[in-house]
Amino acid sequence: MKRTAENCMLISTVIATAVFSAAINIPGGIDDGTNKPNYLNQTSFLVFAISAGAAFISSSTAILIFLSILMSRYSEDDFYRSLPFKLIFGLLTLFISIACMMIAFASAFFITYNYGSWVVPNSIAVLVCLPLLLYIYLQYSLWSDIINSTFNCRSLFRPTKCMIYT
């Protein structure tokens, strides 16, 4: 669990850094006369702004959740509910941040390359779904194991009868 939290926190930090940089350097640039973004009135720019903000917030939340796992006292009671819940919500917020980052990338790509051929921006927007599906496929076994051990195996490590007789 500790190694998973370390790796996921590293990925969340990279996502937060990349999305922060993308939000500061907006696609299309800024109009010199009005100091407003050039594509402010386009729907794809609104999608970019919302998804970049959501990606930054969810990746920052994931960083804090994984940090709380790493800073945990690792007592026996923590492994029953606290740490599995934190890992579940950490993986969920990491997925949300990856999804929002991919949407932000697709909308920025669409803003930049929507002139001329529509085949390239639309195909990139569709191909953005592949990493999300791959993440779900690769993390499904971990996700199901955590949920199963948290909710279905309550008595696995807590026997109902006293095992030591005096």
Side-chain angles (χ1 to χ4, degrees):
M1 183 177 290
K2 190 174 183 179
R3 190 175 328 159
T4 301
E6 287 173 353
N7 292 332
C8 289
M9 190 169 91
L10 176 68
I11 298 303
S12 298
T13 305
V14 169
I15 291 171
T17 304
V19 172
F20 181 80
S21 175
I24 297 300
N25 302 317
I26 56 174
I30 296 176
D31 185 18
D32 291 332
T34 61
N35 288 332
K36 292 182 180 178
N38 288 328
Y39 300 111
L40 184 62
N41 297 327
Q42 289 187 357
T43 306
S44 55
F45 185 79
L46 180 65
V47 170
F48 170 77
I50 292 171
S51 60
F56 183 76
I57 291 169
S58 60
S59 63
S60 298
T61 304
I63 291 169
L64 293 175
I65 291 172
F66 291 126
L67 186 63
S68 72
I69 291 173
L70 293 175
M71 301 299 286
S72 177
R73 55 194 170 122
Y74 294 108
S75 70
E76 185 177 347
D77 290 334
D78 288 344
F79 285 99
Y80 293 126
R81 288 281 183 204
S82 175
L83 290 176
F85 275 134
K86 288 178 183 177
L87 191 58
I88 288 169
F89 289 121
L91 290 172
L92 182 65
T93 54
L94 179 61
F95 173 74
I96 291 169
S97 68
I98 291 172
C100 291
M101 178 189 65
M102 297 308 267
I103 293 169
F105 169 76
S107 60
F109 193 87
F110 193 81
I111 289 169
T112 307
Y113 298 105
N114 68 347
Y115 303 104
S117 175
W118 284 85
V119 175
V120 175
N122 289 336
S123 62
I124 293 299
V126 170
L127 290 175
V128 159
C129 297
L130 291 178
L132 298 176
L133 295 174
L134 184 64
Y135 179 83
I136 292 171
Y137 175 74
L138 294 175
Q139 297 297 325
Y140 178 75
S141 62
L142 175 63
W143 182 263
S144 65
D145 287 343
I146 294 169
I147 291 175
N148 188 31
S149 67
T150 304
F151 296 111
N152 294 335
C153 298
R154 292 183 185 185
S155 63
L156 182 64
F157 298 110
R158 287 189 181 183
T160 56
K161 296 180 181 177
C162 184
M163 303 300 281
I164 300 175
Y165 297 102
T166 56

